[in-house]
Structures are given as structure tokens and as C-alpha cells.
Amino acid sequence: MATSFSSRLIDGDQHYYEPADAFTRHLDQSYRHAIRWADVDGRKKLLVNDRVFKMIPNPTFDPVAKPGALAAYFQGKNQAGTDTATLVGQLEPIRPEYRDREQRVARLNDQGVTAAFLLPTLALGIEELLGDDPVAAHAAFRAFNRWIEDDWGFNRDGRIVAPAVMTLLDAEEAERDLAWVIEHGARSICFRPAPISGPHGEGSPADPLYDRFWAMAADAEVLVAYHAADSGYAGQAAAWGERAHFQGYKDSPFTEILSLHIERPIFDTLAALVAHGLFDRHPRLRVSTVELGSGWVRELLRRMAISYGKIPQAFRRDPVESFREHVWVTPFQEDHLSELVELIGADHILFGSDWPHPEGMAEPRGCPSPTQRHRPRRRRANRGRKPWPSSPAPMTVPPDKGRAVTPQLIDGRRS
């Protein structure tokens, strides 16, 4: 019998391209200095804390690369060594569906996507540049979240879930920000995978200082998403004589080998959440990893198992089981699905296309189903919890698109 996906799909990683006023439309006048646009050498550039934002080469996104233009490059299929600018090819004017909700829903219908998590692009590099000014950082993200609610809605009808973007630089401010986004319908929140790094030093997001924040998130059944971002790890590269700032598409051999901006930050972040007891104190929390692949999972679980074998008295429970209960992983399309199924179970694997980013898929359905790519030898038992937030309104779906799949949707079930 042939194995196939059901024809309706939930995409856990799509993106919008922010307009110029995404941060400034609702930004308190007192913090206009924190984020502003300026002409730099004849080009429109974003200044954050009076520093040029470099994570994205063209933060206006017009023109912009075509979806999937760099997919082969990120799969390691650039044996000719072609530079990324050549691989991207001709840029195109920004498409309406990248910034307009009605147009995006129509595009989801065309793609056969039932619902999508819609995540930021530019906003993922802001916290690193505002870390030494927590008050301005919270003001900036507060303004940004108001823009999200204006233009997309956190979760208006179940078709688009747009996570609020958060920072924990100030615990009390974070609690106020979380209360506001929950009140306005947020079902998910998004963080960069990184320690909390501010003017008074660094710390773990699992520090009990943030327990009221995490308790609020757990009580509201808010999904916590960690997405690839500028996690501040360029400082580690600088210690080895490398460039001291992160710039998209310009990794060196050293940072590529270490996966310093993708695998390393999420490895460290989840190690901290488990080792510092976050899930022990907040057992209802659900965490997903997005656009961070899954190549790091086996080594993290191996290290957890060894640590538990050495010092079980330092843990309240087996850290591997804690990870498997609380974490959902979105692999890259080139990752080994059968191995990931064996490690965490099919019900904790999510699908994400990264559309319309150039490093993602040209179309959400452009990737073979997991069982076509890797037939799992065994599966962990389904634990019954879902990572996806429940919708307060019935989900609207495209007509005549077949029967629905569960939100886990990557478990390779036969249809």
C-alpha cells in the first residue's frame, strides 16, 4: 500500500517580511532613538541602538529573494562553491502575500495549507542589539507585538497563528508584556535561543526569577517557540579570531562546522531549560524548536543520559524523558527522520517549510513525506499531548482539500 500525507497540512514555520513601520508604528516616542531608519551610503538601513542592523542584507525586503532559492545550498549541495548572491539569482519585487493577511490566506488556500504559524524575519535579530538597554528592548517588542495584532492577528480564525515576540531582559516587564498578548489572543510566543544577556550580566531563562512568567504561559497553554535568530554567539567566534558579529549568509568554515548560529544555541538553551528544572517547576509548559533542524538532538540526549547516569541526585527526573515530554522539534527537510522518530517519537516532530524564505522550501508541499524519505523502524508511544495551541474559533479550511491530519502531522500515518 502506498504511503502518503493526508492532503491537508499545518505548516509550523512560515514567515512574513516586516514593513518599515513594524517596530515604529506603535513605538513610544521616548524610545524612537532605539530603532530608526537612516540613509547609509545611499542605502536605506535600519539602525538599532545606533548600530547598523546587519543580520539581513536588505532589511526593506524589496526586492527580495525567491522562495527556496538557497534550499540546495543549505542542504550542502553547493559542491561548486558558488557564492550565495549568484545562487539567489534575480531578486523580485516583494509579493503582496508577504505583508497582507487577506492575500496570505488566499496563498495558503493555493498551497493547500490548512493553517500556518507565521513568524518574524527581521525581528529575530533585534534583541542582540538592544541587550544593554532592557527598557528600550521591551518597548520595541511591545510595539512590534501591537503591529502583529494590527496586521496579522495573533490567532483570529485559526488559519494564521502569529506568535508574539518576547524577551526576558526584565522579568517584570516580560510579565506585563505576556499578560497583554494573552489578553489579545496570543496562543504562542517566540524567543531567540540564547541566555538572557543584559547590562547586569547573563543568566538562564530557566532561572526561578522568571517563574511567574513561565507560570502565566503554562496556565494560558501558550506554546513557547524557539526560532533561529541572532543568538549572540558571534562573541564565541570572536574568541577564536573570527568576526565578532553575525551576518546572514556569511558564515566562515569555523562557524559552519560548529553550526554556531543554529545547532549550538538551541543545544545550549534546551540543556539549560532541562538542567535548571524549568519543566519540573512548570510541567504544563510546551516548547517547540523552529528552523533549527534536528541534527543536535541525538548528542543532546546522549549527554543528558550520561549526566543522569553520573549524578542522578542532581535531577528531579530523567532529563531525557523530560525533554521527550515537553519538547517538539521541527527538522530540516534534509534531516534523518527515522533517527529523530526513534529519539523523540513521531508525535513530537513538526513540519515547517520556512516559506517564503530563500533558505526554505519553494512550496510547502515540495518535500516528500517523512515515510517516503525514511521508513521508521519503530515508534515511541503517542503521549497524547499536542504542541499546537487550541483555537478559540473553529478552524476555517480550504474546500475540497481532503480530510484533516492531526497537528503533529508528521507521524507518517497511512491514508
Side-chain angles (χ1 to χ4, degrees):
M1 179 182 296
T3 303
S4 65
F5 268 141
S6 174
S7 63
R8 282 166 56 185
L9 188 67
I10 295 174
D11 192 338
D13 182 24
Q14 289 203 12
H15 289 266
Y16 44 75
Y17 285 124
E18 294 93 331
D21 69 343
F23 275 97
T24 60
R25 184 188 303 174
H26 296 292
L27 186 61
D28 188 300
Q29 291 288 339
S30 303
Y31 304 104
R32 293 289 179 178
H33 66 279
I35 298 183
R36 58 191 177 88
W37 292 92
D39 185 281
V40 179
D41 298 328
R43 299 187 65 183
K44 189 175 182 179
K45 293 289 185 178
L46 184 65
L47 300 185
V48 182
N49 210 6
D50 289 327
R51 288 177 282 181
V52 176
F53 179 83
K54 295 182 177 180
M55 190 183 83
I56 296 168
N58 178 16
T60 69
F61 304 116
D62 193 10
V64 70
K66 296 177 182 178
L70 290 174
Y73 170 85
F74 280 94
Q75 293 169 27
K77 298 177 181 178
N78 184 35
Q79 287 80 6
T82 307
D83 65 272
T84 54
T86 301
L87 291 171
V88 164
Q90 184 67 39
L91 301 179
E92 64 178 15
I94 192 164
R95 302 181 193 178
E97 60 265 32
Y98 297 170
R99 287 180 169 166
D100 182 85
R101 191 182 195 282
E102 184 176 341
Q103 294 283 342
R104 188 54 163 263
V105 171
R107 191 73 179 95
L108 293 178
N109 292 344
D110 293 340
Q111 293 172 332
V113 173
T114 302
F117 266 49
L118 209 58
L119 293 143
T121 302
L122 180 149
L124 295 166
I126 298 297
E127 182 173 346
E128 177 61 18
L129 299 178
L130 284 175
D132 58 354
D133 192 347
V135 177
H138 281 276
F141 285 117
R142 192 173 299 131
F144 186 78
N145 288 327
R146 288 185 64 186
W147 167 79
I148 292 176
E149 177 60 6
D150 279 354
D151 283 22
W152 297 101
F154 294 123
N155 185 25
R156 292 179 186 168
D157 56 13
R159 294 303 306 280
I160 290 174
V161 175
V165 182
M166 306 296 290
T167 178
L168 291 173
L169 285 169
D170 182 288
E172 292 185 0
E173 290 294 320
E175 292 163 21
R176 283 193 283 270
D177 293 343
L178 181 60
W180 188 90
V181 300
I182 290 173
E183 180 184 351
H184 286 79
R187 306 301 297 139
S188 179
I189 56 177
C190 180
F191 287 97
R192 67 173 188 160
I196 312 305
S197 181
H200 305 298
E202 296 182 319
S204 168
D207 189 304
L209 173 67
Y210 307 109
D211 271 354
R212 287 195 301 181
F213 178 94
W214 295 122
M216 291 168 61
D219 289 345
E221 297 185 337
V222 167
L223 174 66
V224 179
Y226 281 98
H227 190 285
D230 183 351
S231 295
Y233 275 58
Q236 297 187 24
W240 296 92
E242 297 271 329
R243 185 174 57 239
H245 65 271
F246 172 53
Q247 190 166 353
Y249 308 140
K250 291 191 176 180
D251 278 342
S252 70
F254 180 76
T255 57
E256 278 286 1
I257 290 170
L258 291 182
S259 192
L260 197 61
H261 303 298
I262 298 293
E263 294 187 8
R264 179 64 182 276
I266 192 59
F267 184 105
D268 295 355
T269 298
L270 287 174
L273 298 189
V274 173
H276 297 158
L278 183 67
F279 301 129
D280 299 325
R281 301 193 306 274
H282 306 283
R284 296 170 60 196
L285 270 180
R286 300 162 300 162
V287 168
S288 68
T289 68
V290 185
E291 205 173 330
L292 293 160
S294 62
W296 48 273
V297 175
R298 177 175 287 281
E299 179 61 14
L300 178 57
L301 296 188
R302 186 185 75 84
R303 289 302 314 163
M304 286 180 174
I306 289 174
S307 300
Y308 190 56
K310 290 178 176 178
I311 49 171
Q313 71 277 10
F315 298 88
R316 291 189 186 180
R317 63 176 299 197
D318 184 336
V320 173
E321 290 306 313
S322 183
F323 180 100
R324 287 171 172 164
E325 179 180 344
H326 293 280
V327 178
W328 282 258
V329 176
T330 309
F332 292 137
Q333 55 181 307
E334 65 270 18
D335 286 349
H336 297 287
L337 268 296
S338 58
E339 176 179 286
L340 189 60
V341 168
E342 292 180 5
L343 289 171
I344 65 173
D347 55 322
H348 274 233
I349 303 175
L350 306 176
F351 167 79
S353 69
D354 195 30
W355 196 89
H357 282 176
E359 63 269 25
M361 297 163 63
E363 287 293 341
R365 292 182 176 275
C367 185
S369 75
T371 49
Q372 290 171 332
R373 293 160 57 197
H374 305 279
R375 189 174 300 277
R377 292 187 293 274
R378 63 181 176 85
R379 299 178 184 172
R380 295 179 55 80
N382 189 310
R383 287 172 289 279
R385 293 187 78 207
K386 298 179 181 180
W388 303 92
S390 57
S391 174
M395 181 175 287
T396 305
V397 298
D400 302 322
K401 291 293 184 180
R403 66 178 177 82
V405 298
T406 62
Q408 289 88 354
L409 78 87
I410 202 166
D411 61 21
R413 64 188 64 195
R414 296 181 182 272
S415 60

